[in-house]
């Protein structure tokens, strides 16, 4: 079987596939149309987020048996059409779930303890102890929307804290010893913190808007390490201004390009984003929650293991 690699990943991915007897070709620079012109020669291809895998490309891939996504989400792939054509979709949420869990916890603790604000002030010679009095997680209720690999990993990290963890998911019976599954209304009634761990789907697109936010009984903190387009940024800003949302940790933004690799030029910066970057109760990272040294290895290993199990 011949595999085309469209993004660079950890070397173990190609090394181990070579050892298993697969033929591996790399092309990290050709345009999408150039890839379409030669994709019929391949039985599989592996991608991160370089471009969208749509019907024309899938139609051109006449011998394709699988697509490997070195990451968790599959929204950049027309999955329904791929499945109709008998193409197996392989992703690797197991590979970066621990990284996402740790990043989510880090963001939450940083926000509660004003670490980014205090650090900046001390560097400027300001010693403002009362102004940087923090909050403790102890006694808080953490609400998780989405309780798959990422949600479960975050809940596991929270076990060492005296918190109540609630989860809501479209699947039934996903709760476990680390989180109690509840209906959305109960989560909104009790949560002090909301953390998103959902894929990008029709259900989650623009999910967190003004109506959704105002449905929470208490003011709350928001953590989003999932997908940027799940949160309507202008509505988030309105809630930050009113105090309905007390602070936000955002690893993802609705302005991200489909490749997740770019944002926007500085001369095209949305007004809502300008507010976020000036806010002391907002923590921003560039879609790196699952982007650790260890997850780079684990993601590639997961893809190899799944290809081996399915096709070797």
């Amino acid at each position: 079987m011949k595999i085309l690699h469209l993004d660079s990943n950890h070397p173990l991915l190609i090394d181990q596939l070579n050892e298993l007897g697969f033929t591996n070709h790399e092309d990290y620079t050709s345009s999408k149309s150039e890839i379409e012109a030669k994709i019929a020669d391949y039985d599989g291809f592996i991608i991160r987020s370089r471009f969208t895998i749509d019907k024309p490309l899938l139609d051109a891939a006449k011998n394709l048996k699988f697509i490997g996504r070195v990451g968790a989400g599959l929204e950049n792939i027309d999955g329904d059409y791929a499945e109709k054509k008998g193409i197996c979709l392989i992703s690797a949420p197991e590979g970066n779930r621990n990284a996402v869990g740790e990043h989510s916890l880090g963001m939450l603790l940083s926000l509660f303890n004003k670490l980014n604000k205090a650090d900046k002030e001390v560097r400027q010679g300001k010693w403002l102890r009362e102004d940087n009095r923090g909050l403790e997680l102890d006694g808080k209720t953490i609400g998780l929307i989405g309780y798959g690999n990422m949600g479960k990993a975050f809940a596991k990290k929270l076990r060492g804290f005296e918190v109540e963890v609630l989860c809501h998911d479209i699947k039934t019976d996903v709760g476990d010893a680390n989180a109690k599954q509840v209906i959305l209304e109960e989560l909104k009634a009790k949560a002090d913190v909301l953390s998103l761990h959902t894929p990008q789907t029709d259900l989650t697109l623009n999910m967190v808007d003004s109506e959704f936010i105002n449905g929470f009984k208490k003011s709350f903190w928001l953590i989003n390490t999932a997908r940027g387009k799940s949160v309507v940024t202008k509505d988030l800003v309105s809630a930050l201004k009113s105090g309905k949302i007390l602070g936000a940790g955002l690893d993802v933004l609705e302005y991200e390009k489909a490749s997740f690799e770019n944002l926007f030029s500085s001369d095209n910066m949305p007004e809502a984003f300008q507010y976020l970057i000036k806010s002391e109760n907002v923590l921003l990272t560039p879609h790196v929650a699952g982007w650790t040294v260890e997850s780079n290895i684990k993601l590639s290993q997961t893809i190899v293991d799944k290809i081996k199990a399915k096709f070797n």
Side-chain angles (χ1 to χ4, degrees):
M1 291 178 69
K2 294 172 64 177
I3 302 174
L4 180 62
H5 296 256
L6 300 177
D7 287 294
S8 61
N9 291 291
H10 194 279
L12 75 81
L13 181 57
I14 290 178
D15 290 346
Q16 291 191 22
L17 289 173
N18 280 332
E19 291 172 5
L20 290 168
F22 295 95
T23 300
N24 294 277
H25 294 166
E26 301 165 73
D27 188 339
Y28 307 146
T29 59
S30 292
S31 68
K32 189 174 179 180
S33 60
E34 290 171 327
I35 295 297
E36 282 184 16
K38 66 178 182 179
I39 197 64
D41 294 337
Y42 293 92
D43 301 287
F45 66 81
I46 294 175
I47 192 168
R48 278 204 320 266
S49 304
R50 186 165 147 203
F51 44 61
T52 301
I53 309 303
D54 52 18
K55 289 182 179 180
L57 194 150
L58 292 171
D59 283 336
K62 299 185 184 303
N63 295 303
L64 200 65
K65 298 173 180 62
F66 73 88
I67 301 169
R69 165 92 211 290
V70 186
L74 293 168
E75 66 268 26
N76 276 4
I77 302 171
D78 189 334
D80 291 339
Y81 194 63
E83 289 181 8
K84 286 180 182 177
K85 296 177 74 68
I87 299 169
C88 176
L89 302 183
I90 300 171
S91 62
E94 303 90 344
N96 62 357
R97 60 189 175 190
N98 183 72
V100 171
E102 290 192 6
H103 195 96
S104 301
L105 179 58
M107 282 191 137
L108 184 54
L109 291 173
S110 181
L111 287 168
F112 267 39
N113 292 283
K114 304 182 181 179
L115 298 185
N116 54 325
K117 173 181 178 294
D119 175 77
K120 182 175 67 175
E121 290 174 353
V122 172
R123 291 173 189 272
Q124 295 170 350
K126 300 176 183 178
W127 196 258
L128 306 175
R129 297 185 67 229
E130 184 59 36
D131 196 46
N132 287 299
R133 189 183 288 274
L135 295 170
E136 297 178 18
L137 270 179
D138 194 302
K140 304 296 189 296
T141 298
I142 316 298
L144 312 178
I145 295 185
Y147 203 61
N149 281 282
M150 308 306 166
K152 289 179 185 293
F154 186 32
K156 184 178 179 181
K157 301 303 176 190
L158 291 166
R159 283 195 307 203
F161 299 87
E162 296 295 328
V163 296
E164 180 182 20
V165 182
L166 306 177
C167 67
H168 175 72
D169 197 283
I170 59 172
K171 296 181 180 179
T172 58
D173 299 322
V174 297
D176 55 23
N178 299 326
K180 175 187 176 184
Q181 186 168 9
V182 297
I183 62 173
L184 185 58
E185 287 71 20
E186 182 176 347
L187 187 147
K188 286 185 173 184
K190 294 181 177 180
D192 298 293
V193 175
L194 170 64
S195 187
L196 303 181
H197 299 280
T198 48
Q200 184 171 303
T201 67
D202 290 341
L203 287 175
T204 64
L205 196 64
N206 300 323
M207 175 177 66
V208 182
D209 58 11
S210 290
E211 182 179 1
F212 180 93
I213 292 167
N214 291 326
F216 279 73
K217 182 178 180 180
K218 297 183 278 188
S219 294
F220 64 96
W221 301 79
L222 174 68
I223 304 292
N224 187 11
T225 55
R227 288 293 182 257
K229 288 181 172 56
S230 292
V231 177
V232 180
T233 310
K234 63 180 180 62
D235 292 352
L236 166 61
V237 167
S238 294
L240 286 165
K241 289 178 177 179
S242 72
K244 185 64 179 181
I245 290 182
L246 299 168
L250 307 173
D251 181 55
V252 291
L253 294 164
E254 70 168 301
Y255 313 115
E256 288 180 70
K257 307 302 182 185
S259 68
F260 307 140
E261 301 296 330
N262 296 290
L263 204 56
F264 41 71
S265 60
S266 58
D267 59 352
N268 189 32
M269 189 178 292
E271 184 178 345
F273 184 68
Q274 293 180 47
Y275 179 87
L276 293 180
I277 62 176
K278 295 174 184 175
S279 300
E280 293 181 331
N281 60 341
V282 173
L283 188 60
L284 301 165
T285 53
H287 203 140
V288 292
W291 201 255
T292 63
V293 172
E294 291 85 358
S295 72
N296 190 28
I297 297 169
K298 293 177 189 176
L299 285 166
S300 292
Q301 189 64 61
T302 300
I303 294 295
V304 170
D305 292 345
K306 289 185 177 182
I307 292 173
K308 180 181 179 180
K310 183 76 176 178
F311 296 103
N312 193 51

